[in-house]
Amino acid sequence: MGNKIYYLDNNATTKTDPAVLEAMLPYFGEEYANPSGVYSFAQGAKKAIDDAREQAASFLNADPKEIVFTSGGTESDNMAIKGIAYANTDKGRHIITSKIEHHAILNTCKYLEKQGFEVTYLPVDKYGIVDPGELKKALRKDTVLVSIMYANNEIGTIQDISTLARVTKEAGAYFHTDAVQAAGKTALDVKELGIDMLSLSGHKFHGPKGTGLLYLRKGVRIHSFMQGGHHEFNRRAGTENVPGIAGIGKACAIAAAHLADNNDMKRIKALRDSLEKGILEKIPDVQVNGHPGKRVDNTLNVSVRHIEGEAMLIHMDFEGICASSGSACTSGSLEPSHVLLACGVDHETAHGSIRFSFSKYSSQEDVDKVMEVLPGITQKLRSMSPMWNERKKNR
Amino acid sequence: MALSYSPKVMDQFKKMTNNGRIEDADGIGKVGNPVCGDVMWIYIKVKDNIITECKFETFGCVAAIATSSLGTELVIGKTLEEALEVTDKRIIDLLGGLPKEKHHCSVLAEDGIRKAIEDYRSKQK
Ligand code: FES
């Protein structure tokens, strides 16, 4: 160890902000009381949760009572989808989502299909955009919920959430968005968006792992799956993760301030853009995946044709670069990225996809390092790719 | 998913011997992987029943590259009969094991070598 790390995998997780860690520490130590205690010693822990709820609410322009703290984005997604599905069976059993959702949504929907619910998976265009017209067509009388992600984790594409939410509302269904990849990258205002539910994950915006929240609009009833005490306004039983909640609250406050720091937001975008430009200039036969404009500013997904992503990642890892790939070989399931396939990217091109994702801790050095080594890596791997060599021959 | 490759796999991947193509090969084995869509081509030169040269081209993961590279090393200098005894199991053992979900990659190397030999033999007839 001790080798320098060039961390460009911030859509996987982010570095915990030191101020977040500091905000958490007292609740691992002296302030260990159960916030439900009636004695004054419990007041510190209780106040930490109240403050965090305020911070989270103000980050989303919500009411503090509309925030439910969870263990992460996955739990928030499960809570929203199953919670609405089971609370509204009298109305119907139809759910609409998209083909490019995170597995926390897709697999929850698949589970519900086995339980007798019906799910429509909306297609996307080549940029990964869901067409509100398609949604309109898919909505039915018995549709109870529409869940469309705000920004995609792999390609960064941003959906037109307010329009999708409006179309949904007109049809009388609830609207949920998984905004895990949008938090800290773009301002989120639940009122302006006109949505009913929104999921966040703490560790994706410099908060602690194992923390998340669900924004649940006042008046929206969900079925609860965690039976126990009266925590989180009866919506999620279990003694609160006080340090974690203090941490995600602080992360919300820091993210809000950072979003207002135009210079740094621009700096991050410029880093991403310069890497994109560099790769397109220095490496032939590369395509950028995702929408060129409607895309979170920190994400770059490129396919280097005729080579495979894992081999590229490992070569970059030798140099200390952390990135990720949608290649079948890295997926464990040996299926290429469902997101890229939904965008109409062919298997081979999906194979050669790599994702670089930036954060406020990224610097020009990271970009320079990638540009220093990636062209050589791709050349080396292409020199032994049968497809690449055939292609060259046929020119 | 964090990948847990053995140090030997990493070494083989890093040093990567025998990659490239042999333009005037005596036999070529082209195999594809139905599991994840990878492709491996093995080229051999044969003289007096002995493999004098062997190269590979692989579009695939670290395991596929490492196993094809080691596979080519193992067959150079061998008779065709000996080369046919290079199994995926043997390659995996020599590499100090492969993650289970990567075993199918080593099968490519074995198949590629066998196909290249078959190709050579069919041309001799
Ligand atoms: S070649 Fe795809 S997993 Fe090994």
Side-chain angles (χ1 to χ4, degrees):
Chain A
M1 278 304 286
N3 287 346
K4 192 161 166 41
I5 292 294
Y6 303 87
Y7 188 76
L8 290 173
D9 200 17
N10 288 282
N11 287 6
T13 196
T14 56
K15 178 178 168 181
T16 309
D17 192 302
V20 167
L21 179 60
E22 204 175 309
M24 295 170 73
L25 288 174
Y27 308 98
F28 286 115
E30 287 309 305
E31 295 279 3
Y32 61 83
N34 187 321
S36 301
V38 292
Y39 30 78
S40 44
F41 175 43
Q43 292 311 305
K46 186 167 179 310
K47 182 164 184 315
I49 295 179
D50 290 345
D51 289 352
R53 210 182 295 285
E54 294 271 348
Q55 289 168 316
S58 107
F59 182 46
L60 299 173
N61 190 25
D63 190 87
K65 284 218 173 72
E66 296 176 314
I67 304 294
V68 185
F69 289 116
T70 67
S71 65
T74 296
E75 185 187 334
S76 301
D77 287 343
N78 269 265
M79 186 183 271
I81 293 181
K82 291 181 191 156
I84 288 290
Y86 281 100
N88 294 280
T89 47
D90 53 332
K91 189 195 168 208
R93 288 176 164 261
H94 180 233
I95 295 167
I96 301 174
T97 186
S98 83
K99 286 192 173 156
I100 63 163
E101 300 295 313
H102 188 271
H103 285 119
I105 298 284
L106 287 181
N107 287 341
T108 304
C109 286
K110 289 207 182 103
Y111 167 83
L112 285 176
E113 281 184 289
K114 286 200 197 108
Q115 308 302 312
F117 290 84
E118 218 186 304
V119 182
T120 301
Y121 300 90
L122 293 176
V124 294
D125 68 9
K126 65 176 177 180
Y127 301 119
I129 301 236
V130 175
D131 173 9
E134 292 270 351
L135 171 61
K136 204 164 193 169
K137 274 191 271 166
L139 281 156
R140 315 191 310 215
K141 257 210 193 75
D142 61 340
T143 307
V144 291
L145 173 70
V146 174
S147 178
I148 307 284
M149 75 199 318
Y150 197 112
N152 183 269
N153 47 315
E154 292 185 32
I155 54 178
T157 298
I158 295 175
Q159 306 296 339
D160 181 358
I161 294 297
S162 54
T163 302
L164 295 166
R166 183 165 42 75
V167 170
T168 303
K169 193 155 280 176
E170 282 162 10
Y174 290 111
F175 189 88
H176 166 257
T177 186
D178 175 343
V180 163
Q181 292 294 341
K185 297 167 192 169
T186 178
L188 296 169
D189 181 328
V190 292
K191 297 215 169 69
E192 209 169 278
L193 293 169
I195 56 181
D196 299 301
M197 289 164 289
L198 173 147
S199 302
L200 289 192
S201 163
H203 75 100
K204 304 283 192 192
F205 58 105
H206 307 290
K209 293 175 181 61
T211 67
L213 64 83
L214 179 68
Y215 156 75
L216 187 60
R217 190 173 60 74
K218 221 175 290 165
V220 179
R221 258 187 349 99
I222 55 167
H223 186 92
S224 169
F225 288 90
M226 196 77 99
Q227 272 63 52
H230 300 293
H231 313 88
E232 296 295 293
F233 316 110
N234 287 325
R235 290 172 304 199
R236 196 227 189 214
T239 297
E240 299 86 343
N241 169 10
V242 185
I245 290 172
I248 191 174
K250 185 74 180 175
C252 286
I254 293 172
H258 185 242
L259 281 167
D261 178 355
N262 271 328
N263 284 340
D264 203 56
M265 297 306 291
K266 276 197 200 133
R267 182 188 67 90
I268 295 168
K269 180 174 189 299
L271 287 176
R272 192 274 313 267
D273 290 346
S274 77
L275 181 60
E276 177 172 325
K277 194 160 158 264
I279 288 176
L280 288 172
E281 272 173 16
K282 291 271 152 54
I283 305 173
D285 216 352
V286 167
Q287 90 178 37
V288 176
N289 300 311
H291 196 284
K294 294 175 195 162
R295 177 172 54 149
V296 278
D297 290 341
N298 82 315
T299 303
L300 173 62
N301 188 311
V302 292
S303 281
V304 184
R305 288 203 193 83
H306 312 296
I307 49 181
E308 189 280 324
E310 186 200 283
M312 269 188 281
L313 288 185
I314 300 287
H315 270 300
M316 284 197 278
D317 181 45
F318 292 150
E319 303 287 339
I321 300 168
C322 307
S324 75
S325 167
S327 162
C329 305
T330 58
S331 72
S333 66
L334 297 175
E335 279 289 322
S337 150
H338 67 284
V339 175
L340 295 176
L341 295 188
C343 295
V345 174
D346 63 84
H347 271 63
E348 197 196 310
T349 307
H351 239 70
S353 71
I354 27 173
R355 180 192 70 189
F356 300 98
S357 46
F358 295 79
S359 83
K360 63 179 178 181
Y361 295 124
S362 307
S363 70
Q364 186 61 41
E365 228 192 327
D366 299 319
V367 174
D368 292 346
K369 184 70 185 179
V370 174
M371 287 320 300
E372 177 197 326
V373 302
L374 189 60
I377 291 170
T378 57
Q379 224 171 26
K380 182 165 171 173
L381 290 171
R382 274 176 168 170
S383 74
M384 59 170 178
S385 158
M387 275 85 154
W388 177 254
N389 292 336
E390 279 302 286
R391 198 198 79 125
K392 266 194 350 211
K393 214 173 73 185
N394 295 337
R395 273 226 158 150
Chain B
M1 180 193 65
L3 286 157
S4 41
Y5 285 124
S6 73
K8 279 190 190 149
V9 174
M10 287 313 224
D11 285 350
Q12 189 75 36
F13 176 66
K14 243 186 194 165
K15 74 174 193 203
M16 215 154 43
T17 47
N18 302 328
N19 52 302
R21 65 172 50 176
I22 302 176
E23 294 298 346
D24 56 343
D26 298 320
I28 304 177
K30 296 184 179 182
V31 286
N33 192 331
V35 185
C36 61
D38 296 297
V39 177
M40 189 185 294
W41 293 3
I42 302 275
Y43 301 82
I44 52 172
K45 290 280 287 174
V46 182
K47 199 171 176 221
D48 304 331
N49 201 43
I50 287 178
I51 297 180
T52 53
E53 219 185 310
C54 180
K55 285 196 167 189
F56 74 92
E57 288 181 314
T58 294
F59 167 67
C61 74
V62 170
I65 291 171
T67 53
S68 35
S69 172
L70 181 65
T72 57
E73 277 180 24
L74 289 176
V75 299
I76 294 175
K78 299 270 160 61
T79 65
L80 296 181
E81 292 69 29
E82 286 165 343
L84 285 169
E85 276 163 28
V86 173
T87 61
D88 62 314
K89 203 182 155 302
R90 184 138 161 248
I91 294 175
I92 292 177
D93 284 349
L94 283 169
L95 285 172
L98 272 179
K100 215 172 121 245
E101 63 274 20
K102 295 288 183 180
H103 279 193
H104 69 272
C105 318
S106 62
V107 176
L108 275 187
E110 176 188 331
D111 286 354
I113 292 167
R114 204 187 48 237
K115 279 239 173 101
I117 294 174
E118 280 167 14
D119 182 47
Y120 165 75
R121 283 182 170 160
S122 73
K123 285 179 187 155
Q124 300 308 303
K125 280 175 193 156

